[in-house]
Amino acid sequence: MNDIAGLINHAQNAYARCIDSGNLEAWPDFFEEDCVYKITTADNRAQGLEAGLIFANSRGMLIDRVASLREANIYERHVYRHFLGQPWIVSQNANDVRSETSFFVARIMRDGTTDVYATGQYIDTYTLTGTEPKLRERIVVCDSSRFDTLLALPL
Amino acid sequence: MNDIAGLINHAQNAYARCIDSGNLEAWPDFFEEDCVYKITTADNRAQGLEAGLIFANSRGMLIDRVASLREANIYERHVYRHFLGQPWIVSQNANDVRSETSFFVARIMRDGTTDVYATGQYIDTYTLTGTEPKLRERIVVCDSSRFDTLLALPL
Amino acid sequence: MNDIAGLINHAQNAYARCIDSGNLEAWPDFFEEDCVYKITTADNRAQGLEAGLIFANSRGMLIDRVASLREANIYERHVYRHFLGQPWIVSQNANDVRSETSFFVARIMRDGTTDVYATGQYIDTYTLTGTEPKLRERIVVCDSSRFDTLLALPL
Protein backbone atom coordinates (compact mmCIF):
# COMPACT_ATOMS: atom_id res chain seq x y z
CA MET A 1 0.00 0.00 0.00
CA ASN A 2 1.47 3.36 -0.92
CA ASP A 3 1.48 6.30 1.46
CA ILE A 4 -1.67 7.92 0.11
CA ALA A 5 -3.68 4.70 0.34
CA GLY A 6 -2.45 4.25 3.91
CA LEU A 7 -3.40 7.81 4.80
CA ILE A 8 -6.90 7.47 3.35
CA ASN A 9 -7.30 4.05 4.94
CA HIS A 10 -6.54 5.57 8.32
CA ALA A 11 -8.99 8.43 7.78
CA GLN A 12 -11.74 6.01 6.76
CA ASN A 13 -11.07 3.89 9.83
CA ALA A 14 -11.34 6.95 12.07
CA TYR A 15 -14.65 7.92 10.39
CA ALA A 16 -16.13 4.45 10.94
CA ARG A 17 -15.01 4.38 14.58
CA CYS A 18 -16.59 7.74 15.21
CA ILE A 19 -20.03 6.62 14.05
CA ASP A 20 -19.85 3.10 15.45
CA SER A 21 -18.97 4.41 18.89
CA GLY A 22 -22.00 6.70 18.83
CA ASN A 23 -19.92 9.88 18.94
CA LEU A 24 -22.04 11.62 16.32
CA GLU A 25 -21.07 15.12 17.46
CA ALA A 26 -17.54 14.49 16.16
CA TRP A 27 -18.74 13.27 12.77
CA PRO A 28 -18.95 16.68 11.03
CA ASP A 29 -15.25 17.24 11.84
CA PHE A 30 -14.32 14.73 9.15
CA PHE A 31 -15.58 17.22 6.57
CA GLU A 32 -14.34 20.52 5.25
CA GLU A 33 -16.42 23.57 6.17
CA ASP A 34 -17.42 23.76 2.52
CA CYS A 35 -18.37 20.20 1.61
CA VAL A 36 -20.88 17.91 -0.02
CA TYR A 37 -22.38 14.91 1.74
CA LYS A 38 -24.96 12.94 -0.16
CA ILE A 39 -26.62 9.55 0.21
CA THR A 40 -27.99 8.14 -3.02
CA THR A 41 -28.57 4.77 -4.68
CA ALA A 42 -26.78 3.06 -7.54
CA ASP A 43 -30.00 3.17 -9.58
CA ASN A 44 -30.54 6.89 -9.08
CA ARG A 45 -26.92 7.56 -9.92
CA ALA A 46 -27.06 5.47 -13.10
CA GLN A 47 -30.12 7.47 -14.15
CA GLY A 48 -28.37 10.77 -13.46
CA LEU A 49 -30.78 11.72 -10.69
CA GLU A 50 -28.84 14.16 -8.57
CA ALA A 51 -31.20 14.63 -5.67
CA GLY A 52 -30.10 11.99 -3.19
CA LEU A 53 -31.98 10.72 -0.17
CA ILE A 54 -29.96 12.98 2.06
CA PHE A 55 -28.04 16.05 0.98
CA ALA A 56 -25.89 18.58 2.74
CA ASN A 57 -23.49 21.14 1.31
CA SER A 58 -21.81 22.56 4.39
CA ARG A 59 -20.44 21.30 7.67
CA GLY A 60 -23.07 23.41 9.39
CA MET A 61 -25.81 21.30 7.79
CA LEU A 62 -24.13 18.16 9.11
CA ILE A 63 -24.01 19.64 12.60
CA ASP A 64 -27.71 20.50 12.32
CA ARG A 65 -28.45 16.96 11.23
CA VAL A 66 -26.75 15.49 14.28
CA ALA A 67 -28.58 17.93 16.54
CA SER A 68 -31.95 16.95 15.09
CA LEU A 69 -31.12 13.25 15.40
CA ARG A 70 -30.35 13.78 19.09
CA GLU A 71 -33.50 15.81 19.64
CA ALA A 72 -35.93 13.69 17.67
CA ASN A 73 -35.31 10.77 19.90
CA ILE A 74 -38.20 8.89 18.42
CA TYR A 75 -36.09 6.38 16.59
CA GLU A 76 -35.67 2.94 17.98
CA ARG A 77 -32.18 2.86 19.41
CA HIS A 78 -29.68 1.02 17.26
CA VAL A 79 -25.98 0.98 16.48
CA TYR A 80 -23.98 0.49 13.34
CA ARG A 81 -20.80 -1.41 12.67
CA HIS A 82 -18.96 -0.37 9.50
CA PHE A 83 -16.65 -2.58 7.45
CA LEU A 84 -14.66 -0.97 4.71
CA GLY A 85 -12.71 -2.35 1.80
CA GLN A 86 -9.34 -0.98 0.83
CA PRO A 87 -9.67 2.50 -0.66
CA TRP A 88 -9.18 2.56 -4.41
CA ILE A 89 -7.22 5.67 -5.36
CA VAL A 90 -8.82 7.12 -8.48
CA SER A 91 -6.57 10.16 -8.74
CA GLN A 92 -4.36 12.31 -6.58
CA ASN A 93 -2.37 15.47 -6.64
CA ALA A 94 -0.64 17.58 -3.99
CA ASN A 95 -3.96 19.01 -2.72
CA ASP A 96 -6.53 16.27 -2.93
CA VAL A 97 -7.31 12.62 -3.52
CA ARG A 98 -10.30 11.00 -5.12
CA SER A 99 -11.00 7.49 -3.87
CA GLU A 100 -13.68 4.84 -3.94
CA THR A 101 -14.24 2.43 -1.07
CA SER A 102 -16.71 -0.41 -0.62
CA PHE A 103 -18.66 -0.36 2.61
CA PHE A 104 -20.82 -2.81 4.48
CA VAL A 105 -22.80 -1.68 7.48
CA ALA A 106 -24.30 -4.09 9.98
CA ARG A 107 -27.10 -2.73 12.15
CA ILE A 108 -27.67 -3.98 15.66
CA MET A 109 -31.12 -3.22 17.04
CA ARG A 110 -31.93 -2.74 20.70
CA ASP A 111 -33.39 -6.25 20.90
CA GLY A 112 -30.11 -7.71 19.65
CA THR A 113 -31.15 -8.43 16.09
CA THR A 114 -28.28 -7.92 13.67
CA ASP A 115 -28.75 -7.49 9.95
CA VAL A 116 -26.97 -6.27 6.85
CA TYR A 117 -28.16 -2.70 6.83
CA ALA A 118 -26.47 -1.32 3.74
CA THR A 119 -23.74 -2.04 1.24
CA GLY A 120 -22.29 0.26 -1.36
CA GLN A 121 -19.46 2.61 -2.18
CA TYR A 122 -18.08 5.81 -0.79
CA ILE A 123 -17.06 8.08 -3.63
CA ASP A 124 -14.83 10.58 -1.91
CA THR A 125 -12.72 13.62 -2.47
CA TYR A 126 -10.32 14.22 0.38
CA THR A 127 -8.44 17.48 0.82
CA LEU A 128 -4.84 17.05 1.95
CA THR A 129 -3.90 20.62 2.74
CA GLY A 130 -4.56 20.41 6.51
CA THR A 131 -2.96 18.36 9.25
CA GLU A 132 -5.09 15.38 8.28
CA PRO A 133 -7.26 14.48 5.30
CA LYS A 134 -10.73 16.07 5.32
CA LEU A 135 -13.69 15.17 3.15
CA ARG A 136 -14.62 17.81 0.64
CA GLU A 137 -17.15 15.45 -0.89
CA ARG A 138 -18.61 12.11 0.11
CA ILE A 139 -21.19 10.53 -2.14
CA VAL A 140 -22.57 7.44 -0.42
CA VAL A 141 -23.89 5.21 -3.20
CA CYS A 142 -26.00 2.42 -1.73
CA ASP A 143 -26.36 -0.77 -3.74
CA SER A 144 -29.95 -1.28 -2.74
CA SER A 145 -32.78 1.08 -3.56
CA ARG A 146 -34.87 -0.11 -0.69
CA PHE A 147 -34.23 1.68 2.53
CA ASP A 148 -35.45 1.08 5.96
CA THR A 149 -37.27 4.20 7.09
CA LEU A 150 -35.08 4.11 10.15
CA LEU A 151 -32.36 5.74 8.09
CA ALA A 152 -30.99 7.93 10.78
CA LEU A 153 -27.36 7.54 11.71
CA PRO A 154 -24.90 8.77 9.09
CA LEU A 155 -23.37 6.27 6.73
CA MET B 1 2.36 -5.16 5.06
CA ASN B 2 5.27 -6.15 2.89
CA ASP B 3 5.45 -5.31 -0.80
CA ILE B 4 4.07 -8.62 -2.05
CA ALA B 5 1.08 -8.49 0.28
CA GLY B 6 0.40 -4.93 -0.86
CA LEU B 7 0.63 -5.94 -4.51
CA ILE B 8 -1.74 -8.88 -4.08
CA ASN B 9 -4.08 -6.76 -1.98
CA HIS B 10 -4.31 -4.26 -4.81
CA ALA B 11 -4.95 -6.97 -7.40
CA GLN B 12 -7.72 -8.47 -5.26
CA ASN B 13 -9.30 -5.07 -4.82
CA ALA B 14 -9.28 -4.53 -8.60
CA TYR B 15 -10.88 -7.96 -9.13
CA ALA B 16 -13.68 -7.23 -6.68
CA ARG B 17 -14.33 -3.79 -8.18
CA CYS B 18 -14.59 -5.31 -11.64
CA ILE B 19 -17.35 -7.74 -10.68
CA ASP B 20 -19.16 -5.40 -8.30
CA SER B 21 -19.38 -2.72 -10.96
CA GLY B 22 -20.94 -5.20 -13.38
CA ASN B 23 -18.04 -5.01 -15.83
CA LEU B 24 -17.97 -8.77 -16.40
CA GLU B 25 -16.30 -8.51 -19.79
CA ALA B 26 -13.11 -7.33 -18.05
CA TRP B 27 -13.14 -10.19 -15.56
CA PRO B 28 -11.21 -12.76 -17.67
CA ASP B 29 -8.32 -10.26 -17.93
CA PHE B 30 -7.41 -10.98 -14.33
CA PHE B 31 -6.38 -14.47 -15.43
CA GLU B 32 -3.50 -15.88 -17.42
CA GLU B 33 -4.38 -17.32 -20.80
CA ASP B 34 -3.58 -20.73 -19.36
CA CYS B 35 -5.37 -20.78 -16.01
CA VAL B 36 -7.62 -22.68 -13.65
CA TYR B 37 -10.77 -21.18 -12.17
CA LYS B 38 -12.84 -23.41 -9.96
CA ILE B 39 -15.68 -22.94 -7.49
CA THR B 40 -15.99 -25.71 -4.94
CA THR B 41 -17.09 -26.18 -1.33
CA ALA B 42 -15.09 -26.80 1.82
CA ASP B 43 -16.80 -30.19 2.21
CA ASN B 44 -15.99 -31.32 -1.32
CA ARG B 45 -12.42 -30.17 -0.90
CA ALA B 46 -12.02 -31.98 2.41
CA GLN B 47 -13.26 -35.16 0.72
CA GLY B 48 -10.82 -34.74 -2.14
CA LEU B 49 -13.58 -34.28 -4.70
CA GLU B 50 -11.95 -32.39 -7.50
CA ALA B 51 -14.91 -31.65 -9.72
CA GLY B 52 -16.11 -28.28 -8.48
CA LEU B 53 -19.42 -26.59 -9.17
CA ILE B 54 -17.84 -24.51 -11.88
CA PHE B 55 -14.62 -25.28 -13.67
CA ALA B 56 -12.61 -23.57 -16.38
CA ASN B 57 -9.03 -24.16 -17.48
CA SER B 58 -8.43 -21.35 -19.93
CA ARG B 59 -9.18 -17.67 -20.22
CA GLY B 60 -11.25 -18.52 -23.29
CA MET B 61 -13.62 -20.56 -21.16
CA LEU B 62 -14.04 -17.59 -18.83
CA ILE B 63 -14.84 -15.35 -21.80
CA ASP B 64 -17.41 -17.90 -22.96
CA ARG B 65 -18.93 -17.99 -19.53
CA VAL B 66 -19.42 -14.22 -19.48
CA ALA B 67 -20.92 -14.32 -22.97
CA SER B 68 -23.42 -16.97 -21.96
CA LEU B 69 -24.34 -15.04 -18.81
CA ARG B 70 -25.06 -11.99 -20.93
CA GLU B 71 -27.07 -13.98 -23.43
CA ALA B 72 -29.03 -16.18 -21.08
CA ASN B 73 -30.68 -13.20 -19.54
CA ILE B 74 -33.11 -15.35 -17.65
CA TYR B 75 -31.58 -14.70 -14.28
CA GLU B 76 -33.19 -12.27 -11.94
CA ARG B 77 -31.00 -9.20 -12.01
CA HIS B 78 -28.76 -8.80 -9.00
CA VAL B 79 -25.45 -7.31 -7.99
CA TYR B 80 -22.67 -8.45 -5.70
CA ARG B 81 -20.54 -6.57 -3.22
CA HIS B 82 -17.29 -8.30 -2.28
CA PHE B 83 -15.41 -7.87 0.98
CA LEU B 84 -11.98 -9.38 1.26
CA GLY B 85 -9.70 -10.05 4.16
CA GLN B 86 -5.99 -9.37 4.00
CA PRO B 87 -4.26 -11.84 1.69
CA TRP B 88 -2.25 -14.44 3.54
CA ILE B 89 0.98 -15.11 1.66
CA VAL B 90 1.56 -18.86 1.68
CA SER B 91 4.70 -18.82 -0.45
CA GLN B 92 6.44 -16.63 -2.98
CA ASN B 93 9.33 -16.62 -5.35
CA ALA B 94 10.44 -14.34 -8.18
CA ASN B 95 7.77 -15.68 -10.56
CA ASP B 96 4.67 -16.37 -8.52
CA VAL B 97 2.84 -16.05 -5.23
CA ARG B 98 0.45 -18.39 -3.52
CA SER B 99 -2.02 -16.67 -1.24
CA GLU B 100 -5.23 -17.35 0.64
CA THR B 101 -7.83 -14.67 1.22
CA SER B 102 -11.16 -14.77 3.03
CA PHE B 103 -14.11 -13.40 1.12
CA PHE B 104 -17.62 -12.39 1.95
CA VAL B 105 -20.07 -11.55 -0.79
CA ALA B 106 -23.30 -9.69 -0.19
CA ARG B 107 -25.96 -10.02 -2.87
CA ILE B 108 -28.41 -7.25 -3.58
CA MET B 109 -31.51 -8.37 -5.47
CA ARG B 110 -33.54 -6.20 -7.79
CA ASP B 111 -36.19 -5.69 -5.12
CA GLY B 112 -33.57 -4.33 -2.71
CA THR B 113 -33.20 -7.40 -0.54
CA THR B 114 -29.61 -7.82 0.67
CA ASP B 115 -28.25 -11.05 2.04
CA VAL B 116 -25.00 -12.84 2.78
CA TYR B 117 -24.57 -14.71 -0.46
CA ALA B 118 -21.34 -16.57 0.12
CA THR B 119 -18.33 -16.72 2.40
CA GLY B 120 -15.14 -18.66 1.93
CA GLN B 121 -11.57 -18.48 0.78
CA TYR B 122 -9.78 -17.70 -2.44
CA ILE B 123 -6.83 -20.06 -2.83
CA ASP B 124 -4.76 -18.34 -5.46
CA THR B 125 -1.62 -18.59 -7.46
CA TYR B 126 -0.62 -15.28 -8.97
CA THR B 127 2.00 -14.97 -11.70
CA LEU B 128 4.30 -11.98 -11.28
CA THR B 129 6.13 -12.01 -14.59
CA GLY B 130 3.91 -9.44 -16.35
CA THR B 131 3.25 -5.78 -15.66
CA GLU B 132 0.73 -6.72 -12.99
CA PRO B 133 -0.12 -9.93 -11.10
CA LYS B 134 -2.33 -12.34 -13.04
CA LEU B 135 -4.18 -15.35 -11.69
CA ARG B 136 -2.83 -18.65 -12.87
CA GLU B 137 -5.18 -20.44 -10.53
CA ARG B 138 -8.11 -19.40 -8.37
CA ILE B 139 -9.88 -22.03 -6.32
CA VAL B 140 -12.95 -20.48 -4.73
CA VAL B 141 -13.72 -22.59 -1.67
CA CYS B 142 -17.16 -21.73 -0.34
CA ASP B 143 -17.86 -22.42 3.33
CA SER B 144 -21.41 -23.47 2.70
CA SER B 145 -22.43 -26.47 0.62
CA ARG B 146 -25.84 -25.03 -0.07
CA PHE B 147 -25.97 -22.81 -3.08
CA ASP B 148 -28.64 -20.68 -4.43
CA THR B 149 -29.40 -21.88 -7.94
CA LEU B 150 -28.97 -18.31 -9.01
CA LEU B 151 -25.21 -18.88 -8.98
CA ALA B 152 -24.37 -16.78 -11.97
CA LEU B 153 -21.96 -13.92 -11.51
CA PRO B 154 -18.36 -14.93 -10.89
CA LEU B 155 -17.09 -15.07 -7.34
CA MET C 1 0.08 1.80 7.50
CA ASN C 2 3.02 2.05 9.86
CA ASP C 3 5.05 -0.98 10.91
CA ILE C 4 3.17 -1.61 14.13
CA ALA C 5 -0.22 -1.53 12.41
CA GLY C 6 1.11 -3.97 9.81
CA LEU C 7 2.45 -6.27 12.50
CA ILE C 8 -0.83 -6.29 14.42
CA ASN C 9 -2.80 -6.69 11.20
CA HIS C 10 -0.79 -9.80 10.39
CA ALA C 11 -1.28 -11.24 13.88
CA GLN C 12 -5.05 -10.65 13.67
CA ASN C 13 -5.18 -12.33 10.28
CA ALA C 14 -3.35 -15.37 11.66
CA TYR C 15 -5.77 -15.54 14.60
CA ALA C 16 -8.82 -15.45 12.32
CA ARG C 17 -7.36 -18.11 10.01
CA CYS C 18 -6.68 -20.38 12.96
CA ILE C 19 -10.30 -20.39 14.12
CA ASP C 20 -11.87 -20.35 10.67
CA SER C 21 -9.86 -23.39 9.62
CA GLY C 22 -11.09 -25.28 12.68
CA ASN C 23 -7.61 -25.61 14.19
CA LEU C 24 -8.80 -24.76 17.70
CA GLU C 25 -5.89 -26.50 19.41
CA ALA C 26 -3.56 -23.78 18.06
CA TRP C 27 -5.77 -20.95 19.28
CA PRO C 28 -4.33 -20.66 22.83
CA ASP C 29 -0.88 -20.08 21.29
CA PHE C 30 -1.93 -16.58 20.29
CA PHE C 31 -2.01 -15.68 23.98
CA GLU C 32 0.63 -15.14 26.63
CA GLU C 33 0.77 -17.75 29.39
CA ASP C 34 -0.54 -15.08 31.74
CA CYS C 35 -3.42 -13.50 29.86
CA VAL C 36 -7.01 -12.32 29.97
CA TYR C 37 -9.61 -13.44 27.45
CA LYS C 38 -13.12 -12.17 27.95
CA ILE C 39 -16.28 -12.01 25.89
CA THR C 40 -18.70 -9.33 26.97
CA THR C 41 -21.31 -7.03 25.45
CA ALA C 42 -21.27 -3.32 24.77
CA ASP C 43 -24.15 -2.87 27.20
CA ASN C 44 -22.44 -4.73 30.03
CA ARG C 45 -19.26 -2.81 29.41
CA ALA C 46 -21.05 0.55 29.42
CA GLN C 47 -22.59 -0.39 32.77
CA GLY C 48 -19.22 -1.36 34.21
CA LEU C 49 -20.22 -5.02 34.60
CA GLU C 50 -16.96 -6.88 34.61
CA ALA C 51 -18.17 -10.46 34.56
CA GLY C 52 -18.32 -11.27 30.87
CA LEU C 53 -20.06 -14.20 29.22
CA ILE C 54 -16.81 -16.07 29.02
CA PHE C 55 -13.72 -15.37 31.08
CA ALA C 56 -10.28 -16.89 31.27
CA ASN C 57 -7.13 -15.55 32.89
CA SER C 58 -4.49 -18.00 31.76
CA ARG C 59 -3.52 -19.86 28.64
CA GLY C 60 -4.23 -23.08 30.53
CA MET C 61 -7.89 -22.08 30.85
CA LEU C 62 -8.04 -21.53 27.10
CA ILE C 63 -6.55 -24.97 26.49
CA ASP C 64 -9.15 -26.46 28.84
CA ARG C 65 -11.88 -24.65 26.98
CA VAL C 66 -10.83 -26.12 23.65
CA ALA C 67 -10.61 -29.59 25.19
CA SER C 68 -14.13 -29.35 26.56
CA LEU C 69 -15.45 -28.08 23.23
CA ARG C 70 -13.93 -31.10 21.53
CA GLU C 71 -15.30 -33.47 24.14
CA ALA C 72 -18.76 -32.06 24.53
CA ASN C 73 -19.53 -32.73 20.95
CA ILE C 74 -23.16 -31.97 21.49
CA TYR C 75 -23.12 -28.76 19.54
CA GLU C 76 -24.46 -28.70 16.04
CA ARG C 77 -21.41 -28.52 13.80
CA HIS C 78 -20.74 -25.10 12.36
CA VAL C 79 -17.88 -22.96 11.12
CA TYR C 80 -17.04 -19.31 11.43
CA ARG C 81 -15.61 -16.85 8.98
CA HIS C 82 -14.04 -13.75 10.53
CA PHE C 83 -13.71 -10.35 8.87
CA LEU C 84 -11.63 -7.74 10.60
CA GLY C 85 -11.26 -4.03 10.13
CA GLN C 86 -7.91 -2.33 10.22
CA PRO C 87 -6.50 -2.32 13.74
CA TRP C 88 -6.66 1.08 15.41
CA ILE C 89 -3.49 1.64 17.41
CA VAL C 90 -4.50 3.22 20.70
CA SER C 91 -1.03 3.34 22.22
CA GLN C 92 2.32 1.64 21.87
CA ASN C 93 5.70 1.43 23.48
CA ALA C 94 8.70 -0.87 23.08
CA ASN C 95 6.98 -3.71 24.96
CA ASP C 96 3.33 -3.64 24.04
CA VAL C 97 0.58 -2.25 21.87
CA ARG C 98 -3.01 -1.50 22.67
CA SER C 99 -5.32 -1.71 19.68
CA GLU C 100 -9.00 -1.83 18.82
CA THR C 101 -10.32 -3.73 15.82
CA SER C 102 -13.85 -4.17 14.49
CA PHE C 103 -14.89 -7.70 13.77
CA PHE C 104 -17.72 -9.37 11.92
CA VAL C 105 -18.22 -13.10 12.15
CA ALA C 106 -20.37 -15.05 9.74
CA ARG C 107 -21.55 -18.45 10.89
CA ILE C 108 -22.15 -21.28 8.46
CA MET C 109 -24.32 -24.06 9.84
CA ARG C 110 -24.13 -27.68 8.79
CA ASP C 111 -27.22 -27.28 6.62
CA GLY C 112 -25.55 -24.44 4.72
CA THR C 113 -27.39 -21.55 6.34
CA THR C 114 -25.15 -18.50 6.69
CA ASP C 115 -25.90 -15.63 9.02
CA VAL C 116 -24.26 -12.68 10.71
CA TYR C 117 -23.26 -14.30 13.97
CA ALA C 118 -21.62 -11.45 15.81
CA THR C 119 -20.18 -7.99 15.32
CA GLY C 120 -18.15 -5.93 17.71
CA GLN C 121 -14.67 -4.88 18.71
CA TYR C 122 -11.55 -6.60 19.90
CA ILE C 123 -9.91 -4.49 22.58
CA ASP C 124 -6.44 -5.91 22.72
CA THR C 125 -3.12 -5.60 24.43
CA TYR C 126 -0.36 -7.29 22.48
CA THR C 127 3.05 -8.02 23.97
CA LEU C 128 5.93 -7.43 21.57
CA THR C 129 8.80 -8.92 23.51
CA GLY C 130 8.76 -12.34 21.80
CA THR C 131 9.38 -13.38 18.21
CA GLU C 132 5.82 -12.43 17.33
CA PRO C 133 3.07 -10.43 19.00
CA LYS C 134 1.12 -12.33 21.66
CA LEU C 135 -2.15 -11.33 23.28
CA ARG C 136 -1.84 -10.39 26.92
CA GLU C 137 -5.45 -9.29 26.93
CA ARG C 138 -8.33 -9.63 24.51
CA ILE C 139 -11.69 -8.21 25.49
CA VAL C 140 -14.26 -9.21 22.87
CA VAL C 141 -17.01 -6.60 23.07
CA CYS C 142 -20.05 -7.78 21.13
CA ASP C 143 -22.44 -5.16 19.82
CA SER C 144 -25.49 -7.27 20.46
CA SER C 145 -26.62 -8.45 23.87
CA ARG C 146 -28.52 -11.36 22.44
CA PHE C 147 -26.47 -14.47 21.96
CA ASP C 148 -27.25 -17.68 20.35
CA THR C 149 -26.86 -20.41 22.93
CA LEU C 150 -24.61 -22.12 20.45
CA LEU C 151 -21.82 -19.81 21.58
CA ALA C 152 -19.03 -22.30 21.37
CA LEU C 153 -16.15 -21.55 19.07
CA PRO C 154 -13.88 -18.73 20.24
CA LEU C 155 -14.40 -15.27 18.83
Side-chain angles (χ1 to χ4, degrees):
Chain A
M1 196 183 320
N2 64 23
D3 287 352
I4 285 291
L7 196 69
I8 299 303
N9 207 21
H10 188 265
Q12 308 274 52
N13 195 354
Y15 182 101
R17 281 173 59 83
C18 173
I19 297 171
D20 293 352
S21 67
N23 184 16
L24 300 186
E25 280 70 16
W27 169 65
D29 290 340
F30 288 94
F31 292 83
E32 293 281 327
E33 179 60 46
D34 185 12
C35 64
V36 168
Y37 176 75
K38 185 162 78 167
I39 300 182
T40 186
T41 68
D43 270 359
N44 279 3
R45 195 151 187 269
Q47 293 171 39
L49 302 175
E50 286 298 320
L53 302 174
I54 286 177
F55 179 82
N57 63 4
S58 71
R59 192 196 288 154
M61 285 178 71
L62 300 178
I63 293 170
D64 288 353
R65 179 161 174 81
V66 170
S68 64
L69 282 175
R70 290 301 192 193
E71 214 167 289
N73 211 340
I74 54 169
Y75 296 102
E76 186 183 357
R77 192 178 150 252
H78 61 284
V79 296
Y80 284 172
R81 179 68 58 190
H82 284 70
F83 294 91
L84 306 180
Q86 292 296 317
W88 184 266
I89 305 301
V90 175
S91 67
Q92 55 177 294
N93 60 41
N95 294 326
D96 49 44
V97 182
R98 291 178 51 232
S99 65
E100 298 180 5
T101 308
S102 287
F103 67 83
F104 156 71
V105 180
R107 184 178 56 171
I108 301 94
M109 304 303 294
R110 190 73 197 96
D111 71 358
T113 316
T114 300
D115 61 8
V116 178
Y117 178 58
T119 64
Q121 264 200 311
Y122 292 140
I123 301 187
D124 296 328
T125 307
Y126 273 98
T127 303
L128 302 178
T129 45
T131 52
E132 50 191 17
K134 294 264 186 186
L135 286 161
R136 196 167 65 222
E137 182 172 281
R138 164 155 289 187
I139 314 291
V140 182
V141 184
C142 296
D143 291 322
S144 171
S145 296
R146 198 174 67 178
F147 263 89
D148 196 304
T149 51
L150 202 55
L151 187 63
L153 301 183
L155 284 170
Chain B
M1 198 183 319
N2 64 24
D3 287 351
I4 286 292
L7 195 69
I8 299 304
N9 208 20
H10 188 265
Q12 308 273 52
N13 195 354
Y15 182 101
R17 281 172 60 83
C18 172
I19 296 172
D20 293 352
S21 67
N23 183 17
L24 300 187
E25 280 69 16
W27 169 65
D29 291 340
F30 288 94
F31 292 83
E32 293 281 326
E33 180 59 45
D34 185 14
C35 64
V36 168
Y37 176 75
K38 185 162 78 167
I39 300 183
T40 187
T41 67
D43 270 1
N44 279 2
R45 195 151 188 270
Q47 294 171 40
L49 302 175
E50 286 298 320
L53 303 174
I54 287 177
F55 180 82
N57 63 2
S58 72
R59 192 195 287 155
M61 285 179 70
L62 300 178
I63 294 170
D64 289 353
R65 181 163 172 81
V66 170
S68 65
L69 282 175
R70 291 298 194 196
E71 215 166 286
N73 211 341
I74 56 170
Y75 296 102
E76 187 183 357
R77 192 178 150 255
H78 61 285
V79 295
Y80 283 172
R81 179 68 57 190
H82 285 69
F83 294 90
L84 306 179
Q86 292 297 316
W88 183 267
I89 306 301
V90 175
S91 67
Q92 56 177 293
N93 60 42
N95 294 326
D96 49 45
V97 182
R98 292 177 52 232
S99 64
E100 298 181 2
T101 309
S102 287
F103 68 83
F104 156 70
V105 180
R107 185 177 55 171
I108 302 94
M109 304 304 293
R110 190 73 197 95
D111 71 358
T113 316
T114 301
D115 61 8
V116 178
Y117 178 58
T119 63
Q121 263 200 313
Y122 291 140
I123 302 188
D124 296 328
T125 306
Y126 273 99
T127 304
L128 301 179
T129 46
T131 53
E132 51 192 16
K134 294 264 186 186
L135 286 162
R136 196 168 66 223
E137 182 173 281
R138 165 156 290 186
I139 314 292
V140 182
V141 183
C142 295
D143 290 324
S144 172
S145 296
R146 198 173 67 178
F147 262 88
D148 196 304
T149 52
L150 201 54
L151 187 63
L153 301 182
L155 284 171
Chain C
M1 197 185 317
N2 64 24
D3 287 351
I4 285 291
L7 195 69
I8 300 304
N9 207 19
H10 187 265
Q12 308 273 51
N13 196 354
Y15 181 101
R17 282 172 60 82
C18 173
I19 297 172
D20 294 352
S21 68
N23 183 17
L24 300 186
E25 280 70 17
W27 169 65
D29 290 341
F30 288 94
F31 292 83
E32 293 281 326
E33 180 60 46
D34 185 13
C35 64
V36 168
Y37 175 75
K38 185 162 78 168
I39 300 182
T40 187
T41 68
D43 270 0
N44 280 3
R45 195 152 186 269
Q47 293 170 40
L49 303 176
E50 286 297 320
L53 303 174
I54 287 178
F55 179 82
N57 63 3
S58 71
R59 192 197 287 155
M61 285 178 71
L62 300 177
I63 293 170
D64 288 353
R65 179 162 173 80
V66 170
S68 64
L69 283 175
R70 291 299 193 195
E71 216 167 288
N73 210 340
I74 54 169
Y75 296 102
E76 188 183 357
R77 191 178 151 255
H78 61 285
V79 296
Y80 284 172
R81 180 67 57 190
H82 285 69
F83 294 91
L84 306 179
Q86 292 296 318
W88 183 266
I89 306 300
V90 175
S91 67
Q92 55 177 295
N93 60 41
N95 294 327
D96 50 45
V97 181
R98 291 177 53 230
S99 65
E100 297 180 5
T101 309
S102 286
F103 68 84
F104 157 69
V105 180
R107 183 177 57 173
I108 302 93
M109 304 304 293
R110 190 73 196 95
D111 70 358
T113 317
T114 301
D115 60 8
V116 178
Y117 179 57
T119 64
Q121 265 200 310
Y122 291 140
I123 302 188
D124 296 328
T125 306
Y126 273 98
T127 303
L128 301 178
T129 47
T131 53
E132 50 192 17
K134 294 265 186 186
L135 286 162
R136 196 167 66 223
E137 181 172 283
R138 165 155 289 186
I139 313 292
V140 182
V141 184
C142 296
D143 290 324
S144 172
S145 296
R146 197 173 67 179
F147 263 88
D148 196 304
T149 52
L150 202 55
L151 186 64
L153 300 182
L155 283 171

